Amino acid sequence: MKDDRKPRPGFPAAGLPREQVMAELEAARGGDADWRGGRVPLFVFKGSDAVSDIGQAAFDAYFHENALGGARAFPSVGGFERDVVAMALDLFGAPETGAGFMTSGGSESIVMAVKAARDWARQQGRSNRSAPANIVLPESGHPAFDKAAVLMDLEVRRVPVAADWRADVAAMDAAADGNTIMVVGSAPCFPFGVIDPIAALADMTRARDLWLHVDACVGGYLAPFARANGRPVPAFDFSVPGVTSLTADLHKYGFCPKPASTVLYADARRAACQPFAFDCWPSGPFTTATVVGTRPAGGVAGAWAVLRHLGAAGYREIARELMAGVDRYRAGVAAIPGLNVLGDPELAIVAVQSNVVDVFAVAARLQVRQWVPGLLRRPPALHRMMSMLHVQSMDDYLADLEAAVSEERADPGGFGRSRARYS
């Protein structure tokens, strides 16, 4: 079998001029997908050029600082982080007892929320060490909960969703037991873009004194502003009695530089279960509220700058333009024979099914046209997590989508099939 792998590069014997290194960087980028042209269905988010500019400028201003030193060496960074958390608690309706932290992203936020729930259960004497503690969530919940479970030796109980693709509250109630440390709902879930019935989940978890976590990583910083603009977005945050914790990514629909996310709690006592503390080494006490120690201060400063720059009015304007674009996309999909939107997503994640063509084959045809396809495996669907990048490229995408569907109907399988994957 032929081995097409490139030889492993050795460590350079001598350095190269800056111009040569930068030229090599630019050349390497030539094979990357055109995200600026809206041809990537996720990974990159844009509100406006002005927002990107201020986020990058603030990040660059704190390029060398380390957020780990926010309490001792860089009090400005610590102050920015406290401000960001305070703004997030206000946005999501947290009570005065609320508290929270910044992390590097949704997965880390989720891992730390699970850690807090596990430690809280132990403090309250709810953890039965003879059997693993468990997390109950819909099958649409993010894999980061499974990652957390692997790290902490927990059991994950994934429950099939209801006919509307949202969490089945009765089935989740039946799956929970005395060893359940967390019940999860999404706002929205990544696969289908729909918001789980958070109020009904909260009724169930309050009745059983269970921890309810809302994973709003992908929609948290869009949903409140879309709702303020009159969109039918159900309550999902701390305004719902019984919501215990919530995660929301700043570097998604907060349009902040990566890496930046928030994990928030309704009760500071539960939030106190998140940090890791160690006091048995020569250098003295070591305490962090994140999995990582060193963190780029640029992500903190960039988030602070973007939130301050936009304010609620700026976010509402972006939400208005983005959701108008989503409406136009849904209408364009509906105009293509054989395509339909899966469920009724409230925000900017849209999955598209077909009853006449294989959408994985349609995706292969889109890939030939230089679009990076987003796909769902169950059920088969085209998938897009839209930002203003996709609004700007809407007409080109819809035209290519219609052509790809027509070609696939005329010549099924002519370009093979793409494969569903997230990373």
Side-chain angles (χ1 to χ4, degrees):
M1 181 177 178
K2 183 181 177 182
D3 187 352
D4 293 325
R5 291 176 298 178
K6 293 181 180 179
R8 185 176 69 189
F11 198 88
L16 300 174
R18 181 182 193 277
E19 293 76 13
Q20 182 177 344
V21 173
M22 295 308 294
E24 290 179 4
L25 277 175
E26 194 59 34
R29 177 183 279 178
D32 290 353
D34 179 18
W35 63 265
R36 293 174 181 83
R39 291 180 173 268
V40 177
L42 72 166
F43 301 130
V44 183
F45 299 83
K46 182 178 179 180
S48 70
D49 288 338
V51 173
S52 297
D53 288 346
I54 193 170
Q56 183 169 346
F59 191 104
D60 289 347
Y62 277 81
F63 181 83
H64 295 287
E65 283 79 0
N66 184 345
L68 179 63
R72 297 178 59 207
F74 312 117
S76 62
V77 178
F80 295 152
E81 187 160 3
R82 288 188 294 274
D83 286 351
V84 169
V85 169
M87 287 186 273
L89 290 168
D90 180 61
L91 177 65
F92 296 118
E96 288 300 315
T97 56
F101 307 92
M102 285 188 70
T103 73
S104 64
S107 291
E108 188 176 25
S109 287
I110 287 170
V111 168
M112 297 314 298
V114 171
K115 188 263 187 190
R118 182 203 64 180
D119 289 2
W120 176 259
R122 289 177 177 176
Q123 284 186 16
Q124 303 303 305
R126 295 176 58 102
S127 179
N128 178 1
R129 298 298 182 93
S130 64
N134 66 73
I135 306 167
V136 175
L137 75 164
E139 62 181 346
S140 55
H142 197 277
F145 291 98
D146 297 79
K147 182 183 289 188
V150 169
L151 292 171
M152 290 175 247
D153 199 21
L154 306 174
E155 177 190 358
V156 176
R157 298 179 177 179
R158 286 184 172 267
V159 178
V161 294
D164 62 357
W165 307 103
R166 305 175 202 276
D168 185 331
V169 179
M172 291 177 67
D173 189 16
D177 61 18
N179 274 352
T180 299
I181 61 166
M182 176 183 279
V183 174
V184 178
S186 301
C189 69
F190 179 80
F192 314 129
V194 295
I195 295 177
D196 288 330
I198 302 302
L201 284 170
D203 288 342
M204 182 267 283
T205 54
R206 283 202 321 276
R208 299 183 59 170
D209 192 24
L210 294 172
W211 181 303
L212 175 61
H213 179 81
V214 175
D215 176 19
C217 284
V218 296
Y221 285 95
L222 173 61
F225 305 109
R227 190 181 189 193
N229 288 339
R231 307 286 300 199
V233 177
F236 68 93
D237 56 15
F238 295 111
S239 64
V240 178
V243 171
T244 313
S245 57
L246 180 147
T247 45
D249 284 0
L250 290 153
H251 59 215
K252 290 189 173 76
Y253 290 108
F255 307 112
C256 299
K258 301 176 182 70
S261 178
T262 46
V263 52
L264 310 169
Y265 301 86
D267 181 352
R269 296 176 303 154
R270 298 184 191 234
C273 292
Q274 175 172 322
F276 166 81
F278 183 76
D279 191 11
C280 192
W281 75 322
S283 290
F286 177 88
T287 304
T288 63
T290 52
V291 173
V292 298
T294 289
R295 291 182 292 132
V300 178
W304 181 88
V306 169
L307 293 177
R308 296 272 293 169
H309 174 67
L310 279 176
Y315 276 107
R316 285 186 63 176
E317 182 57 31
I318 293 174
R320 186 177 292 109
E321 293 181 24
L322 174 56
M323 294 310 300
V326 172
D327 290 343
R328 186 156 64 91
Y329 176 60
R330 294 179 63 167
V333 166
I336 300 174
L339 298 187
N340 64 279
V341 172
L342 184 151
D344 188 17
E346 291 92 347
L347 297 171
I349 295 177
V350 181
V352 175
Q353 295 178 297
S354 177
N355 56 8
V356 298
V357 290
D358 179 352
V359 293
F360 282 33
V362 170
R365 294 179 182 275
L366 289 171
Q367 196 163 1
V368 169
R369 291 172 165 85
Q370 305 303 308
W371 299 96
V372 176
L375 288 164
L376 293 185
R377 183 171 54 181
R378 289 194 313 273
L382 299 167
H383 185 275
R384 301 187 94 201
M385 188 174 179
M386 299 175 65
S387 74
M388 294 305 294
L389 293 165
H390 305 102
V391 174
Q392 295 159 7
S393 59
M394 180 84 64
D395 292 339
D396 289 343
Y397 181 78
L398 286 172
D400 282 351
L401 176 61
E402 183 173 18
V405 170
S406 297
E407 291 171 6
E408 184 59 27
R409 294 184 73 170
D411 179 26
F415 274 92
R417 303 175 82 241
S418 295
R419 183 167 63 96
R421 58 181 297 177
Y422 177 82
S423 58

